[in-house]
Amino acid sequence: MKFELNHDWQGNMSSPRSTLGEKTKIHLFLILAVIWIFTGLVGNSPWIPEESENVSMVMDIVSNNSIIAPLAASQDSINNPPLYPFVGATFVKIFSSILAPHDAIRLSNFIWISLTLVSIGLMTRELWGAGFGRQAGLIFIASIGLIFNVHTIRPEVAALLGFALALYGFALYQRRPFRASLLLGFAISIIFLSNGILSLLSIFITALSLLLIKQWRNKRYYLFCLISSIVALIIISPWIYLLYNSNPEIFFSWLSKVNTPNGEEFYFYIKNMLWFTWPSLPLFAFVLIKNFENIFQLKKIHLPLFFSISILFTLSLNANIDQINLMPLLLPFSVVAAGGVDLLRRSSANALNWFGILIFGFFSFIIWFFWFAIMTGFPQIIYDRIYFLSGNYEAKFEFLSFIFALLISGLWLYIIFTQKISNRSAISNWAIGITMVWVTFVMLVSPFIDNRKSYAPVFKDIRQHLSRSSSCLYIYNFSPNETNLLHYYSGIKGVDSNKDIQCRMILLSLNNESKMPSEYQSWEQIWSGKRIERDKTYYILLTKK
């Protein structure tokens, strides 16, 4: 006779009787989620080119009310519909008195991220039952590739909510078909109005692939898909109509933007998926293997699986290769992984827990060591190297940042040394650990990176030398990133010097190996400067005599 014993003799690390109530656990999870979401949303300039493009689009809305088709300074046509810039512009106007525009735009991410977490919890509860939603949220938070990307100014953050609502809609369909239809319709609208047409392909492929399973082939499912499509069209159509009527050239230019994949996309995403989706990926694979024979009978398995395959297929068609496009994969992975946490054996749970402790402990030590070196000047070689890489940043002791980083680091140490290890606590330790590293990084290190990467000082200085009548400004040898940031900090959209437009001022971007173009050598120089002293690139502002 076989006995099912739920204790250590069975080799499973069953969770010990909890000393905390469910309400307390939920409150602690919410506190962790708030810290994870809000840390890093404000306080640093746009660092990457994609951020500068979206910031410039938002400023076009704020300054010119270009709600239908906002254009960045470097753009002649839109790349994506304007939902994310529109919400960002709303936040800019609301918080204009207390926050810089880029901080206000980034702050809007908390809406998208918070609703995504709620959707993950609800869909996991729908598929796996009560008690699993919080686990899926913790796994999602613990994802290594997510932490930086959701704190950037990118429309993919808004699209992530659309994918979460779509998966929740499919999960809810059999129990609440009409409500699920509305959810899927809203999800399709959010994805389209944030990321465009291609991202919707994964939703349509998922809807079609589910027809391979008998339980989905019925009139109820067809009606569910039909209502969802009608809801989406009602929401999407007004923007398409307004864009076509207000600016047909931009409309057709947007439709014609088809980037042909070159075959490297799928390999890139598979390779980066291995670390980006950790720790949900191994748990996802574990549950699939455990339930291999019953995949097509279990909705909680085959729905996220088909969703994952559809996303991977869509990514293989996307010629714009970027790691941020992997974020939607974290949704089905986290949902399935939540169901596998309690099934882990003792050795596996221990390995997962200690692997997280070693990784986060190592990175936390590096961050604190670098911070100590820059504050004390010891060791001298580390201090000199950080000082050089940060663009000669003169570090100041920020008491509040230090206390916050110290508290979160101390809390993490207290938890890993005092908490009894169980399957679920291993996942909690991952979520707490990555939050701890992110908080210490933002509090102690981000000012050094911001000083090295920010264009704010040089372009704000340029703005002071521009005359009030200089709304027309030539730019020469500018990258799209520089063009967008010039627009953000100065309020002027630079005009390419090759265009047939008459401007009386020009801003040149040169380096130590380039020379000033001969046609501008007779112009009068009124300003020159660099981002940092040792930077090879420098800027010269000229005016026509």
Side-chain angles (χ1 to χ4, degrees):
M1 181 179 293
K2 183 178 179 180
F3 293 93
E4 294 294 334
L5 300 176
N6 188 24
H7 52 58
D8 290 346
W9 298 345
Q10 193 181 6
N12 290 333
M13 184 168 276
S14 56
S15 298
R17 182 174 298 174
S18 177
T19 58
L20 297 175
E22 280 300 308
K23 287 187 177 180
T24 304
K25 290 180 180 179
I26 293 174
H27 292 160
L28 291 175
F29 170 74
L30 290 176
I31 293 171
L32 177 66
V34 167
I35 295 173
W36 179 81
I37 291 172
F38 281 93
T39 302
L41 289 183
V42 298
N44 57 272
S45 304
W47 285 351
I48 57 178
E50 291 78 8
E51 283 194 307
S52 66
E53 179 179 293
N54 287 286
V55 167
S56 184
M57 290 173 65
V58 170
M59 298 313 294
D60 193 34
I61 296 176
V62 173
S63 303
N64 304 317
N65 293 319
S66 304
I67 299 174
I68 305 302
L71 295 175
S74 62
Q75 292 178 324
D76 295 321
S77 176
I78 60 173
N79 294 326
N80 295 311
L83 177 60
Y84 183 81
F86 175 76
V87 175
T90 303
F91 270 69
V92 169
K93 292 186 177 181
I94 293 173
F95 296 99
S96 59
S97 61
I98 58 175
L99 289 177
H102 62 270
D103 284 336
I105 300 167
R106 204 180 282 113
L107 185 63
S108 69
N109 284 12
F110 94 87
I111 293 179
W112 309 112
I113 305 170
S114 301
L115 293 177
T116 299
L117 277 173
V118 172
S119 302
I120 290 172
L122 292 173
M123 82 173 81
T124 309
R125 182 186 179 91
E126 187 67 31
L127 292 173
W128 290 91
F132 289 92
R134 188 172 62 251
Q135 288 301 306
L138 288 170
I139 294 170
F140 182 76
I141 287 175
S143 302
I144 293 177
L146 183 67
I147 189 70
F148 175 76
N149 287 299
V150 294
H151 292 89
T152 57
I153 305 173
R154 306 284 299 275
E156 289 83 359
V157 178
L160 185 63
L161 171 61
F163 284 108
L165 288 176
L167 188 55
Y168 181 37
F170 283 115
L172 188 63
Y173 138 75
Q174 291 175 334
R175 191 170 64 87
R176 293 284 189 273
F178 182 71
R179 189 184 302 175
S181 300
L182 295 179
L183 278 172
L184 183 57
F186 282 118
I188 292 172
S189 304
I190 292 172
I191 295 171
F192 175 83
L193 293 174
S194 301
N195 248 19
I197 299 174
L198 182 60
S199 297
L200 287 181
L201 185 60
S202 58
I203 306 300
F204 296 134
I205 293 175
T206 301
L208 290 174
S209 61
L210 288 172
L211 293 174
L212 297 173
I213 300 175
K214 185 177 181 180
Q215 61 179 283
W216 294 85
R217 292 197 299 269
N218 53 68
K219 292 182 180 179
R220 197 181 192 186
Y221 179 66
Y222 302 144
L223 185 61
F224 159 73
C225 293
L226 177 62
I227 295 175
S228 301
S229 302
I230 293 173
V231 171
L233 284 173
I234 291 173
I235 298 174
I236 293 171
S237 297
W239 176 78
I240 296 177
Y241 174 80
L242 291 172
L243 178 63
Y244 174 76
N245 280 274
S246 62
N247 202 321
E249 291 183 2
I250 291 181
F251 175 78
F252 288 110
S253 175
W254 169 64
L255 285 181
S256 63
K257 283 189 175 181
V258 178
N259 295 315
T260 306
N262 55 22
E264 298 179 0
E265 292 81 8
F266 187 74
Y267 172 73
F268 170 86
Y269 288 117
I270 291 296
K271 177 180 65 175
N272 285 277
M273 182 182 70
L274 299 178
W275 66 267
F276 192 98
T277 59
W278 194 277
S280 60
L281 177 61
L283 290 170
F284 177 80
F286 170 71
V287 175
L288 291 183
I289 294 171
K290 197 84 171 177
N291 298 275
F292 181 75
E293 296 180 355
N294 301 315
I295 285 179
F296 294 104
Q297 286 75 43
L298 299 173
K299 182 178 73 170
K300 60 187 179 183
I301 304 296
H302 66 244
L303 172 58
L305 176 61
F306 287 169
F307 197 78
S308 304
I309 294 172
S310 301
I311 292 172
L312 279 174
F313 176 77
T314 304
L315 290 178
S316 69
L317 302 177
N318 191 347
N320 296 320
I321 297 178
D322 196 322
Q323 291 172 356
I324 199 172
N325 295 326
L326 286 167
M327 287 200 305
L329 272 178
L330 296 173
L331 301 170
F333 282 15
S334 298
V335 171
V336 174
V341 172
D342 293 334
L343 303 177
L344 289 175
R345 298 180 66 84
R346 176 200 297 273
S347 57
S348 301
N350 259 327
L352 182 65
N353 183 61
W354 279 105
F355 184 49
I357 290 174
L358 291 174
I359 289 177
F360 302 130
F362 172 76
F363 282 107
S364 177
F365 172 78
I366 293 297
I367 292 171
W368 278 106
F369 178 72
F370 282 175
W371 178 84
F372 176 82
I374 201 67
M375 286 297 168
T376 63
F378 178 82
Q380 185 67 38
I381 188 172
I382 300 296
Y383 170 83
D384 292 340
R385 189 59 182 169
I386 297 174
Y387 185 74
F388 174 79
L389 292 175
S390 64
N392 302 345
Y393 178 66
E394 297 291 343
K396 299 177 182 178
F397 180 76
E398 299 289 345
F399 180 75
L400 291 180
S401 297
F402 167 75
I403 290 297
F404 194 29
L406 185 64
L407 284 175
I408 196 73
S409 300
L411 177 63
W412 178 75
L413 289 172
Y414 173 79
I415 289 173
I416 65 172
F417 283 117
T418 61
Q419 188 181 45
K420 292 182 179 180
I421 302 301
S422 66
N423 290 33
R424 294 199 171 196
S425 68
I427 296 301
S428 300
N429 287 347
W430 266 81
I432 296 170
I434 200 167
T435 303
M436 179 271 298
V437 171
W438 176 246
V439 170
T440 53
F441 173 81
V442 171
M443 295 294 112
L444 304 180
V445 176
S446 64
F448 299 91
I449 301 177
D450 194 53
N451 185 74
R452 181 65 184 89
K453 289 183 170 291
S454 177
Y455 281 80
V458 64
F459 285 155
K460 285 183 178 179
D461 193 23
I462 290 172
R463 183 178 60 186
Q464 297 177 1
H465 293 81
L466 296 173
S467 63
R468 292 183 179 181
S469 60
S470 59
S471 57
C472 180
L473 176 69
Y474 282 140
I475 52 174
Y476 174 82
N477 199 32
F478 266 55
S479 67
N481 184 45
E482 291 173 312
T483 303
N484 293 326
L485 290 175
L486 173 66
H487 173 224
Y488 172 54
Y489 290 116
S490 70
I492 293 179
K493 287 188 175 183
V495 179
D496 193 294
S497 57
N498 295 321
K499 291 187 177 181
D500 189 20
I501 298 176
Q502 297 299 318
C503 298
R504 298 193 60 82
M505 301 184 76
I506 185 170
L507 182 62
L508 301 96
S509 175
L510 306 173
N511 56 54
N512 296 335
E513 299 177 355
S514 59
K515 295 181 180 180
M516 184 182 299
S518 57
E519 61 267 32
Y520 301 116
Q521 290 182 357
S522 61
W523 289 33
E524 181 182 357
Q525 177 176 324
I526 58 176
W527 176 90
S528 66
K530 296 182 177 181
R531 281 201 300 145
I532 57 175
E533 187 59 33
R534 60 181 178 82
D535 206 340
K536 293 182 179 179
T537 300
Y538 61 96
Y539 302 94
I540 298 177
L541 182 64
L542 305 176
T543 184
K544 201 169 187 178
K545 292 182 179 179

mmCIF file of all heavy atoms in Angstrom, residues 106-140:
data_model
loop_
_atom_site.group_PDB
_atom_site.id
_atom_site.type_symbol
_atom_site.label_atom_id
_atom_site.label_comp_id
_atom_site.label_asym_id
_atom_site.label_seq_id
_atom_site.Cartn_x
_atom_site.Cartn_y
_atom_site.Cartn_z
ATOM 1 N N ARG A 106 8.108 58.714 -16.266
ATOM 2 C CA ARG A 106 8.478 57.411 -15.710
ATOM 3 C C ARG A 106 7.572 57.025 -14.554
ATOM 4 O O ARG A 106 7.308 55.839 -14.332
ATOM 5 C CB ARG A 106 9.948 57.443 -15.274
ATOM 6 C CG ARG A 106 10.600 56.063 -15.229
ATOM 7 C CD ARG A 106 12.041 56.124 -14.803
ATOM 8 N NE ARG A 106 12.920 56.557 -15.878
ATOM 9 C CZ ARG A 106 13.579 57.704 -15.881
ATOM 10 N NH1 ARG A 106 13.444 58.545 -14.869
ATOM 11 N NH2 ARG A 106 14.369 58.026 -16.874
ATOM 12 N N LEU A 107 7.085 58.011 -13.810
ATOM 13 C CA LEU A 107 6.184 57.725 -12.700
ATOM 14 C C LEU A 107 4.882 57.098 -13.189
ATOM 15 O O LEU A 107 4.250 56.323 -12.463
ATOM 16 C CB LEU A 107 5.888 59.010 -11.926
ATOM 17 C CG LEU A 107 5.055 58.872 -10.646
ATOM 18 C CD1 LEU A 107 5.785 58.027 -9.619
ATOM 19 C CD2 LEU A 107 4.741 60.248 -10.065
ATOM 20 N N SER A 108 4.485 57.420 -14.426
ATOM 21 C CA SER A 108 3.260 56.830 -14.963
ATOM 22 C C SER A 108 3.363 55.317 -15.096
ATOM 23 O O SER A 108 2.344 54.627 -15.202
ATOM 24 C CB SER A 108 2.925 57.451 -16.327
ATOM 25 O OG SER A 108 3.868 57.066 -17.314
ATOM 26 N N ASN A 109 4.592 54.793 -15.096
ATOM 27 C CA ASN A 109 4.770 53.342 -15.193
ATOM 28 C C ASN A 109 4.109 52.604 -14.040
ATOM 29 O O ASN A 109 3.756 51.427 -14.179
ATOM 30 C CB ASN A 109 6.262 52.990 -15.230
ATOM 31 C CG ASN A 109 6.902 53.272 -16.566
ATOM 32 O OD1 ASN A 109 6.315 53.940 -17.418
ATOM 33 N ND2 ASN A 109 8.098 52.776 -16.774
ATOM 34 N N PHE A 110 3.963 53.271 -12.897
ATOM 35 C CA PHE A 110 3.409 52.555 -11.751
ATOM 36 C C PHE A 110 1.975 52.096 -12.037
ATOM 37 O O PHE A 110 1.540 51.062 -11.501
ATOM 38 C CB PHE A 110 3.480 53.416 -10.487
ATOM 39 C CG PHE A 110 2.241 54.215 -10.175
ATOM 40 C CD1 PHE A 110 1.212 53.660 -9.432
ATOM 41 C CD2 PHE A 110 2.102 55.516 -10.631
ATOM 42 C CE1 PHE A 110 0.070 54.389 -9.147
ATOM 43 C CE2 PHE A 110 0.969 56.258 -10.350
ATOM 44 C CZ PHE A 110 -0.053 55.689 -9.604
ATOM 45 N N ILE A 111 1.244 52.820 -12.881
ATOM 46 C CA ILE A 111 -0.108 52.391 -13.253
ATOM 47 C C ILE A 111 -0.045 51.085 -14.033
ATOM 48 O O ILE A 111 -0.736 50.103 -13.716
ATOM 49 C CB ILE A 111 -0.815 53.468 -14.090
ATOM 50 C CG1 ILE A 111 -1.083 54.716 -13.256
ATOM 51 C CG2 ILE A 111 -2.124 52.932 -14.662
ATOM 52 C CD1 ILE A 111 -1.763 55.817 -14.029
ATOM 53 N N TRP A 112 0.789 51.051 -15.055
ATOM 54 C CA TRP A 112 0.890 49.860 -15.900
ATOM 55 C C TRP A 112 1.408 48.665 -15.100
ATOM 56 O O TRP A 112 0.874 47.549 -15.239
ATOM 57 C CB TRP A 112 1.815 50.140 -17.087
ATOM 58 C CG TRP A 112 1.501 51.378 -17.847
ATOM 59 C CD1 TRP A 112 2.254 52.517 -17.929
ATOM 60 C CD2 TRP A 112 0.333 51.639 -18.649
ATOM 61 N NE1 TRP A 112 1.652 53.454 -18.719
ATOM 62 C CE2 TRP A 112 0.463 52.952 -19.179
ATOM 63 C CE3 TRP A 112 -0.801 50.902 -18.968
ATOM 64 C CZ2 TRP A 112 -0.487 53.522 -20.002
ATOM 65 C CZ3 TRP A 112 -1.760 51.466 -19.798
ATOM 66 C CH2 TRP A 112 -1.596 52.758 -20.299
ATOM 67 N N ILE A 113 2.444 48.885 -14.286
ATOM 68 C CA ILE A 113 3.042 47.770 -13.553
ATOM 69 C C ILE A 113 2.090 47.251 -12.481
ATOM 70 O O ILE A 113 1.941 46.033 -12.292
ATOM 71 C CB ILE A 113 4.386 48.197 -12.914
ATOM 72 C CG1 ILE A 113 5.334 48.767 -13.975
ATOM 73 C CG2 ILE A 113 5.050 47.001 -12.241
ATOM 74 C CD1 ILE A 113 6.566 49.429 -13.395
ATOM 75 N N SER A 114 1.443 48.152 -11.760
ATOM 76 C CA SER A 114 0.531 47.747 -10.693
ATOM 77 C C SER A 114 -0.626 46.923 -11.252
ATOM 78 O O SER A 114 -0.967 45.862 -10.702
ATOM 79 C CB SER A 114 -0.004 48.975 -9.953
ATOM 80 O OG SER A 114 1.035 49.725 -9.388
ATOM 81 N N LEU A 115 -1.238 47.395 -12.329
ATOM 82 C CA LEU A 115 -2.344 46.661 -12.928
ATOM 83 C C LEU A 115 -1.887 45.326 -13.515
ATOM 84 O O LEU A 115 -2.645 44.342 -13.520
ATOM 85 C CB LEU A 115 -3.013 47.512 -14.008
ATOM 86 C CG LEU A 115 -3.754 48.762 -13.503
ATOM 87 C CD1 LEU A 115 -4.306 49.574 -14.673
ATOM 88 C CD2 LEU A 115 -4.881 48.371 -12.548
ATOM 89 N N THR A 116 -0.647 45.279 -14.004
ATOM 90 C CA THR A 116 -0.099 44.008 -14.492
ATOM 91 C C THR A 116 0.015 43.006 -13.357
ATOM 92 O O THR A 116 -0.348 41.824 -13.510
ATOM 93 C CB THR A 116 1.272 44.234 -15.141
ATOM 94 O OG1 THR A 116 1.148 45.118 -16.250
ATOM 95 C CG2 THR A 116 1.865 42.916 -15.625
ATOM 96 N N LEU A 117 0.521 43.442 -12.208
ATOM 97 C CA LEU A 117 0.629 42.550 -11.046
ATOM 98 C C LEU A 117 -0.740 42.057 -10.586
ATOM 99 O O LEU A 117 -0.905 40.878 -10.249
ATOM 100 C CB LEU A 117 1.344 43.271 -9.899
ATOM 101 C CG LEU A 117 2.868 43.275 -9.926
ATOM 102 C CD1 LEU A 117 3.421 44.169 -8.820
ATOM 103 C CD2 LEU A 117 3.418 41.856 -9.766
ATOM 104 N N VAL A 118 -1.711 42.957 -10.576
ATOM 105 C CA VAL A 118 -3.070 42.554 -10.207
ATOM 106 C C VAL A 118 -3.604 41.510 -11.185
ATOM 107 O O VAL A 118 -4.206 40.499 -10.774
ATOM 108 C CB VAL A 118 -4.001 43.780 -10.158
ATOM 109 C CG1 VAL A 118 -5.450 43.345 -9.973
ATOM 110 C CG2 VAL A 118 -3.590 44.716 -9.032
ATOM 111 N N SER A 119 -3.384 41.725 -12.466
ATOM 112 C CA SER A 119 -3.854 40.782 -13.487
ATOM 113 C C SER A 119 -3.186 39.420 -13.335
ATOM 114 O O SER A 119 -3.837 38.368 -13.497
ATOM 115 C CB SER A 119 -3.580 41.339 -14.888
ATOM 116 O OG SER A 119 -4.218 42.591 -15.062
ATOM 117 N N ILE A 120 -1.894 39.417 -13.023
ATOM 118 C CA ILE A 120 -1.185 38.154 -12.810
ATOM 119 C C ILE A 120 -1.794 37.394 -11.641
ATOM 120 O O ILE A 120 -2.028 36.170 -11.714
ATOM 121 C CB ILE A 120 0.317 38.417 -12.564
ATOM 122 C CG1 ILE A 120 0.988 38.898 -13.840
ATOM 123 C CG2 ILE A 120 1.016 37.150 -12.049
ATOM 124 C CD1 ILE A 120 2.409 39.368 -13.641
ATOM 125 N N GLY A 121 -2.061 38.094 -10.548
ATOM 126 C CA GLY A 121 -2.661 37.448 -9.391
ATOM 127 C C GLY A 121 -4.032 36.871 -9.698
ATOM 128 O O GLY A 121 -4.349 35.739 -9.312
ATOM 129 N N LEU A 122 -4.865 37.625 -10.410
ATOM 130 C CA LEU A 122 -6.221 37.164 -10.724
ATOM 131 C C LEU A 122 -6.211 35.983 -11.689
ATOM 132 O O LEU A 122 -6.977 35.023 -11.529
ATOM 133 C CB LEU A 122 -7.033 38.322 -11.313
ATOM 134 C CG LEU A 122 -7.368 39.460 -10.341
ATOM 135 C CD1 LEU A 122 -8.029 40.616 -11.083
ATOM 136 C CD2 LEU A 122 -8.268 38.967 -9.219
ATOM 137 N N MET A 123 -5.346 36.038 -12.718
ATOM 138 C CA MET A 123 -5.330 34.942 -13.685
ATOM 139 C C MET A 123 -4.774 33.664 -13.054
ATOM 140 O O MET A 123 -5.241 32.559 -13.350
ATOM 141 C CB MET A 123 -4.531 35.341 -14.930
ATOM 142 C CG MET A 123 -3.031 35.210 -14.825
ATOM 143 S SD MET A 123 -2.170 35.490 -16.366
ATOM 144 C CE MET A 123 -2.123 37.259 -16.437
ATOM 145 N N THR A 124 -3.794 33.789 -12.155
ATOM 146 C CA THR A 124 -3.242 32.619 -11.483
ATOM 147 C C THR A 124 -4.267 32.007 -10.541
ATOM 148 O O THR A 124 -4.393 30.775 -10.451
ATOM 149 C CB THR A 124 -1.969 32.997 -10.705
ATOM 150 O OG1 THR A 124 -1.073 33.697 -11.561
ATOM 151 C CG2 THR A 124 -1.271 31.752 -10.178
ATOM 152 N N ARG A 125 -4.996 32.850 -9.843
ATOM 153 C CA ARG A 125 -6.074 32.351 -8.984
ATOM 154 C C ARG A 125 -7.135 31.632 -9.819
ATOM 155 O O ARG A 125 -7.681 30.606 -9.402
ATOM 156 C CB ARG A 125 -6.698 33.520 -8.226
ATOM 157 C CG ARG A 125 -7.806 33.133 -7.248
ATOM 158 C CD ARG A 125 -8.450 34.372 -6.674
ATOM 159 N NE ARG A 125 -9.525 34.039 -5.745
ATOM 160 C CZ ARG A 125 -9.374 33.884 -4.439
ATOM 161 N NH1 ARG A 125 -8.178 34.052 -3.889
ATOM 162 N NH2 ARG A 125 -10.409 33.575 -3.683
ATOM 163 N N GLU A 126 -7.418 32.171 -11.001
ATOM 164 C CA GLU A 126 -8.419 31.554 -11.866
ATOM 165 C C GLU A 126 -7.973 30.187 -12.366
ATOM 166 O O GLU A 126 -8.781 29.259 -12.490
ATOM 167 C CB GLU A 126 -8.698 32.483 -13.048
ATOM 168 C CG GLU A 126 -9.835 32.068 -13.939
ATOM 169 C CD GLU A 126 -11.185 32.151 -13.250
ATOM 170 O OE1 GLU A 126 -11.359 33.025 -12.364
ATOM 171 O OE2 GLU A 126 -12.067 31.346 -13.593
ATOM 172 N N LEU A 127 -6.682 30.053 -12.668
ATOM 173 C CA LEU A 127 -6.172 28.812 -13.236
ATOM 174 C C LEU A 127 -5.782 27.773 -12.186
ATOM 175 O O LEU A 127 -6.013 26.574 -12.373
ATOM 176 C CB LEU A 127 -4.963 29.116 -14.133
ATOM 177 C CG LEU A 127 -5.246 29.890 -15.418
ATOM 178 C CD1 LEU A 127 -3.946 30.270 -16.116
ATOM 179 C CD2 LEU A 127 -6.122 29.071 -16.360
ATOM 180 N N TRP A 128 -5.186 28.214 -11.094
ATOM 181 C CA TRP A 128 -4.643 27.294 -10.101
ATOM 182 C C TRP A 128 -5.424 27.269 -8.791
ATOM 183 O O TRP A 128 -5.235 26.369 -7.976
ATOM 184 C CB TRP A 128 -3.181 27.647 -9.798
ATOM 185 C CG TRP A 128 -2.250 27.353 -10.929
ATOM 186 C CD1 TRP A 128 -1.890 28.202 -11.933
ATOM 187 C CD2 TRP A 128 -1.578 26.115 -11.196
ATOM 188 N NE1 TRP A 128 -1.028 27.586 -12.803
ATOM 189 C CE2 TRP A 128 -0.807 26.304 -12.373
ATOM 190 C CE3 TRP A 128 -1.532 24.880 -10.552
ATOM 191 C CZ2 TRP A 128 -0.027 25.302 -12.915
ATOM 192 C CZ3 TRP A 128 -0.746 23.870 -11.095
ATOM 193 C CH2 TRP A 128 -0.007 24.078 -12.267
ATOM 194 N N GLY A 129 -6.262 28.272 -8.553
ATOM 195 C CA GLY A 129 -7.027 28.308 -7.324
ATOM 196 C C GLY A 129 -6.455 29.307 -6.332
ATOM 197 O O GLY A 129 -5.418 29.938 -6.562
ATOM 198 N N ALA A 130 -7.153 29.456 -5.206
ATOM 199 C CA ALA A 130 -6.741 30.409 -4.179
ATOM 200 C C ALA A 130 -5.395 30.026 -3.592
ATOM 201 O O ALA A 130 -5.071 28.851 -3.437
ATOM 202 C CB ALA A 130 -7.796 30.474 -3.078
ATOM 203 N N GLY A 131 -4.599 31.052 -3.270
ATOM 204 C CA GLY A 131 -3.305 30.824 -2.636
ATOM 205 C C GLY A 131 -2.123 30.835 -3.577
ATOM 206 O O GLY A 131 -0.966 30.809 -3.128
ATOM 207 N N PHE A 132 -2.376 30.873 -4.901
ATOM 208 C CA PHE A 132 -1.274 30.830 -5.870
ATOM 209 C C PHE A 132 -0.992 32.191 -6.508
ATOM 210 O O PHE A 132 0.070 32.383 -7.105
ATOM 211 C CB PHE A 132 -1.578 29.812 -6.977
ATOM 212 C CG PHE A 132 -1.505 28.384 -6.530
ATOM 213 C CD1 PHE A 132 -2.636 27.741 -6.070
ATOM 214 C CD2 PHE A 132 -0.311 27.694 -6.546
ATOM 215 C CE1 PHE A 132 -2.584 26.420 -5.648
ATOM 216 C CE2 PHE A 132 -0.238 26.375 -6.126
ATOM 217 C CZ PHE A 132 -1.390 25.731 -5.674
ATOM 218 N N GLY A 133 -1.936 33.117 -6.419
ATOM 219 C CA GLY A 133 -1.758 34.409 -7.068
ATOM 220 C C GLY A 133 -0.564 35.178 -6.543
ATOM 221 O O GLY A 133 0.204 35.772 -7.300
ATOM 222 N N ARG A 134 -0.396 35.155 -5.210
ATOM 223 C CA ARG A 134 0.721 35.871 -4.609
ATOM 224 C C ARG A 134 2.060 35.251 -5.026
ATOM 225 O O ARG A 134 3.049 35.964 -5.244
ATOM 226 C CB ARG A 134 0.573 35.869 -3.087
ATOM 227 C CG ARG A 134 1.588 36.745 -2.364
ATOM 228 C CD ARG A 134 1.286 36.865 -0.892
ATOM 229 N NE ARG A 134 1.335 35.585 -0.208
ATOM 230 C CZ ARG A 134 0.280 34.922 0.258
ATOM 231 N NH1 ARG A 134 -0.929 35.446 0.100
ATOM 232 N NH2 ARG A 134 0.401 33.761 0.855
ATOM 233 N N GLN A 135 2.083 33.913 -5.152
ATOM 234 C CA GLN A 135 3.310 33.249 -5.582
ATOM 235 C C GLN A 135 3.702 33.658 -6.993
ATOM 236 O O GLN A 135 4.872 33.891 -7.288
ATOM 237 C CB GLN A 135 3.132 31.723 -5.509
ATOM 238 C CG GLN A 135 3.093 31.162 -4.108
ATOM 239 C CD GLN A 135 4.355 31.481 -3.337
ATOM 240 O OE1 GLN A 135 5.467 31.192 -3.784
ATOM 241 N NE2 GLN A 135 4.200 32.093 -2.175
ATOM 242 N N ALA A 136 2.705 33.749 -7.877
ATOM 243 C CA ALA A 136 2.996 34.185 -9.250
ATOM 244 C C ALA A 136 3.521 35.618 -9.263
ATOM 245 O O ALA A 136 4.441 35.952 -10.018
ATOM 246 C CB ALA A 136 1.733 34.073 -10.107
ATOM 247 N N GLY A 137 2.946 36.476 -8.412
ATOM 248 C CA GLY A 137 3.432 37.852 -8.321
ATOM 249 C C GLY A 137 4.867 37.922 -7.841
ATOM 250 O O GLY A 137 5.676 38.710 -8.351
ATOM 251 N N LEU A 138 5.211 37.095 -6.860
ATOM 252 C CA LEU A 138 6.587 37.059 -6.345
ATOM 253 C C LEU A 138 7.558 36.568 -7.409
ATOM 254 O O LEU A 138 8.674 37.101 -7.551
ATOM 255 C CB LEU A 138 6.663 36.173 -5.103
ATOM 256 C CG LEU A 138 6.031 36.738 -3.829
ATOM 257 C CD1 LEU A 138 5.953 35.657 -2.751
ATOM 258 C CD2 LEU A 138 6.816 37.935 -3.310
ATOM 259 N N ILE A 139 7.157 35.540 -8.154
ATOM 260 C CA ILE A 139 8.023 35.027 -9.224
ATOM 261 C C ILE A 139 8.217 36.086 -10.294
ATOM 262 O O ILE A 139 9.330 36.267 -10.827
ATOM 263 C CB ILE A 139 7.420 33.740 -9.822
ATOM 264 C CG1 ILE A 139 7.420 32.619 -8.781
ATOM 265 C CG2 ILE A 139 8.194 33.301 -11.060
ATOM 266 C CD1 ILE A 139 6.638 31.385 -9.199
ATOM 267 N N PHE A 140 7.152 36.790 -10.629
ATOM 268 C CA PHE A 140 7.231 37.875 -11.617
ATOM 269 C C PHE A 140 8.188 38.960 -11.142
ATOM 270 O O PHE A 140 9.062 39.416 -11.898
ATOM 271 C CB PHE A 140 5.831 38.437 -11.844
ATOM 272 C CG PHE A 140 5.757 39.529 -12.864
ATOM 273 C CD1 PHE A 140 5.829 39.246 -14.212
ATOM 274 C CD2 PHE A 140 5.602 40.857 -12.483
ATOM 275 C CE1 PHE A 140 5.748 40.255 -15.169
ATOM 276 C CE2 PHE A 140 5.521 41.870 -13.414
ATOM 277 C CZ PHE A 140 5.595 41.572 -14.771
#
